[in-house]
Amino acid sequence: MKSLLILMGTVLALTAQTSAAETAASSTPLDELVASVQEARKKEIARNSEREQKFLNAHQQQKALLKEAQDTFSALQKKNSNLKQSLAEDKKILAKLEQEQQTLLHESRLLTEAIKDEAGRLSRSFNHSVLPAFNADRSARLNQLALNRTVPSREQLYQYWEDLNTILADSSRITRTTTTITRSTGDPITAPVTFIGPFTAVSNGNFLRYYPETGQLGIPVKQPRFNLRIDAEGFERSHEPMALMAIDPGRGKLLEQLETSPSIIERIDQGGFIAWLIIALGAFGVGLLITRHMSLMRENRRIQQQQVHMDDLSRSNALGRVLMAWEKHRQQGSPENLELRLDEAIMAEIPRLESWQSAIKLMAAIAPMLGLLGTITGMIRTFQGMSGNAGQHLMAVGISQALITTAIGLMVAIPLLLGHAFLTNRSRQLVLLLDRQAAGLMAEHLEKKAC
């Protein structure tokens, strides 16, 4: 297109030169028109050239911009690829970090639960000992750590470690100090106290118990045996490296059980009227046993004395009365009648020797039956407590009555049965002794008669 424009320009220039030469000869209006057209054509060509040049310049600029855009796009694609690769690596690192975080969180939860459990056990062990009596703040810290739902702080862990070491140290030493304790009447006093580790605290021979509800040591109403209290008082005064002392391995549990355990009278009261009736029956039976045993012992002693003095018969013993009956009827009748008289005299002595034995046997049989009656009434009360609104108290009372009356019935019946067997054996021996004496007399009489 550019070559065509140059060719047209050349033709027009030649035409213009020819026209100028001709115009020089003659100038007409047509020539002027042609000249005007040629002039306009020149201007048009100039404008087209200018526009073409602008288009070419713009085309070059567009090509430059396109190249720049392509270079930028290539750079961005490369950067995007690098970013994708970096993103993939970051995702792997993030997944690994999340896994490590989950592992750390799991281990942290396990550690927290372990610390809370150990702190709870340590708190319960500490609170059920005598150690809180002179360090109540440690008990509060342990309780707070055991009940805390969040992860313990570093300060709390350090404090827990320090408390643990202190408790271990206090558990292995004997501490003597002066502190406030509460009497059994509720009056506070200041007295010297000896702490034997976390197990036992004593003051002036009295075993002390720590009461968490008041945060103070107190003297229980019920104390251990007297000899243990004597040993405790001697331990307080002793300065020897070794001394005898009874401790509570349950850290106050034994003293608590001793304080809450009912006495014998209270246990019998739990059995109610039936329990006291069995006790009264047993007391009466034991009294009969003792009385009859003493009576048989006296009778045996008198019979032995009578055997030594056979010439001096006495009515104060069974053998003397049988012998007097023999002397009375010895010269009368046949030997058969004499034997019957001796049997009659012996039979007359048997009720005296076996008196009240049937009553004792009856008491031994009635006692467990009364215990069974108490069991039945106690179970009835228990079922009433279960079906009604009386609650656990009536259930406990009913079960106690059911068990206690049975136990008391057996405790009464067994000694009465043994005593009855003993009395029966003693009286049977005396009856056999009378039979032997009677048989000896009959044999001697028959021998003399035969001679």
Side-chain angles (χ1 to χ4, degrees):
M1 181 179 179
K2 183 177 180 181
S3 301
L4 181 60
L5 291 175
I6 295 173
L7 180 59
M8 289 177 65
T10 306
V11 173
L12 289 176
L14 292 173
T15 305
Q17 289 178 359
T18 304
S19 298
E22 292 179 355
T23 302
S26 60
S27 178
T28 62
L30 184 59
D31 295 333
E32 293 177 0
L33 177 60
V34 172
S36 175
V37 171
Q38 290 177 349
E39 185 68 25
R41 183 62 180 172
K42 291 179 179 179
K43 292 181 180 179
E44 183 68 22
I45 290 171
R47 284 196 300 272
N48 289 335
S49 297
E50 184 179 358
R51 291 175 62 189
E52 183 181 4
Q53 188 64 37
K54 289 182 178 180
F55 175 77
L56 292 174
N57 293 335
H59 180 66
Q60 293 295 329
Q61 291 178 357
Q62 290 296 326
K63 286 178 67 176
L65 291 175
L66 177 60
K67 188 177 183 306
E68 183 181 357
Q70 289 177 346
D71 295 339
T72 304
F73 180 72
S74 298
L76 290 176
Q77 278 187 332
K78 185 177 181 181
K79 185 176 181 180
N80 186 36
S81 177
N82 295 332
L83 289 176
K84 285 183 178 180
Q85 184 178 0
S86 177
L87 179 62
E89 294 177 355
D90 291 342
K91 285 183 178 179
K92 292 181 181 178
I93 295 174
L94 181 61
K96 184 178 180 180
L97 291 176
E98 287 179 350
Q99 185 178 1
E100 292 178 356
Q101 183 184 16
Q102 293 297 328
T103 303
L104 291 175
L105 288 175
H106 180 67
E107 293 177 354
S108 176
R109 284 194 294 268
L110 292 179
L111 179 60
T112 302
E113 292 298 327
I115 291 175
K116 289 172 62 177
D117 292 342
E118 291 299 326
R121 281 194 285 270
L122 183 61
S123 176
R124 290 189 294 271
S125 176
F126 182 75
N127 291 330
H128 285 89
S129 65
V130 296
L131 295 178
F134 57 89
N135 199 331
D137 295 337
R138 183 174 297 122
S139 175
R141 286 196 301 269
L142 291 175
N143 291 333
Q144 181 181 2
L145 183 60
L147 299 176
N148 190 13
R149 295 185 177 181
T150 59
V151 178
S153 63
R154 180 178 297 179
E155 290 76 11
Q156 288 178 321
L157 293 178
Y158 276 125
Q159 188 63 54
Y160 173 69
W161 176 75
E162 182 180 350
D163 290 339
L164 180 60
N165 289 332
T166 305
I167 292 174
L168 290 175
D170 291 340
S171 300
S172 61
R173 66 165 61 103
I174 297 173
T175 306
R176 288 181 171 87
T177 183
T178 302
T179 184
T180 301
I181 61 176
T182 305
R183 290 179 176 174
S184 57
T185 58
D187 300 328
I189 59 172
T190 301
V193 178
T194 302
F195 294 90
I196 299 94
F199 305 103
T200 305
V202 291
S203 176
N204 297 325
N206 294 315
F207 284 80
L208 305 180
R209 181 188 163 202
Y210 177 72
Y211 296 91
E213 56 272 10
T214 60
Q216 289 184 346
L217 290 170
I219 303 176
V221 177
K222 297 180 180 179
Q223 289 284 326
R225 297 192 304 271
F226 180 73
N227 60 329
L228 299 180
R229 297 175 62 187
I230 294 297
D231 292 340
E233 187 174 2
F235 182 84
E236 289 183 89
R237 297 176 180 177
S238 176
H239 295 283
E240 299 295 329
M242 295 185 63
L244 182 64
M245 172 65 189
I247 64 173
D248 185 357
R251 303 188 179 195
K253 288 293 185 180
L254 295 180
L255 285 176
E256 182 180 357
Q257 293 177 2
L258 179 64
E259 189 174 8
T260 57
S261 62
S263 62
I264 297 178
I265 301 300
E266 292 172 345
R267 289 187 184 277
I268 297 175
D269 283 336
Q270 290 177 355
F273 171 75
I274 296 178
W276 285 109
L277 180 60
I278 297 173
I279 293 294
L281 184 66
F284 182 67
V286 171
L288 281 179
L289 280 173
I290 296 174
T291 303
R292 290 306 304 155
H293 175 67
M294 294 178 64
S295 176
L296 291 177
M297 291 289 290
R298 287 195 301 269
E299 187 69 24
N300 185 37
R301 188 168 53 253
R302 290 171 183 172
I303 290 175
Q304 290 176 356
Q305 292 176 357
Q306 184 66 64
Q307 287 177 329
V308 175
H309 304 88
M310 295 294 290
D311 297 334
D312 186 13
L313 300 180
S314 173
R315 301 188 63 86
S316 63
N317 62 90
L319 180 60
R321 289 189 291 271
V322 171
L323 292 177
M324 292 177 70
W326 161 262
E327 292 293 339
K328 181 178 179 181
H329 301 286
R330 180 172 59 174
Q331 304 298 331
Q332 301 176 3
S334 63
E336 289 79 7
N337 292 332
L338 184 58
E339 183 178 1
L340 290 176
R341 292 292 184 180
L342 285 175
D343 290 339
E344 180 183 2
I346 294 173
M347 292 295 294
E349 298 298 328
I350 290 177
R352 295 191 185 94
L353 296 175
E354 296 181 352
S355 62
W356 292 103
Q357 291 185 10
S358 299
I360 294 173
K361 186 176 182 180
L362 180 62
M363 293 177 192
I366 290 176
M369 296 180 66
L370 289 175
L372 179 61
L373 177 62
T375 300
I376 294 173
T377 57
M379 295 306 296
I380 291 174
R381 184 178 301 180
T382 301
F383 290 136
Q384 289 177 349
M386 292 174 64
S387 60
N389 297 322
Q392 298 181 354
H393 178 70
L394 283 180
M395 292 180 60
V397 172
I399 293 173
S400 297
Q401 181 176 352
L403 298 177
I404 289 174
T405 53
T406 303
I408 294 176
L410 294 175
M411 291 172 63
V412 169
I414 292 173
L416 290 179
L417 283 175
L418 294 176
H420 175 265
F422 176 77
L423 291 180
T424 302
N425 182 52
R426 295 289 297 177
S427 61
R428 191 170 298 169
Q429 289 178 358
L430 293 178
V431 172
L432 290 176
L433 176 62
L434 296 179
D435 287 336
R436 286 197 301 271
Q437 291 292 333
L441 291 174
M442 283 297 301
E444 183 180 358
H445 177 71
L446 292 175
E447 289 177 355
K448 289 182 179 180
K449 191 173 182 180
C451 294

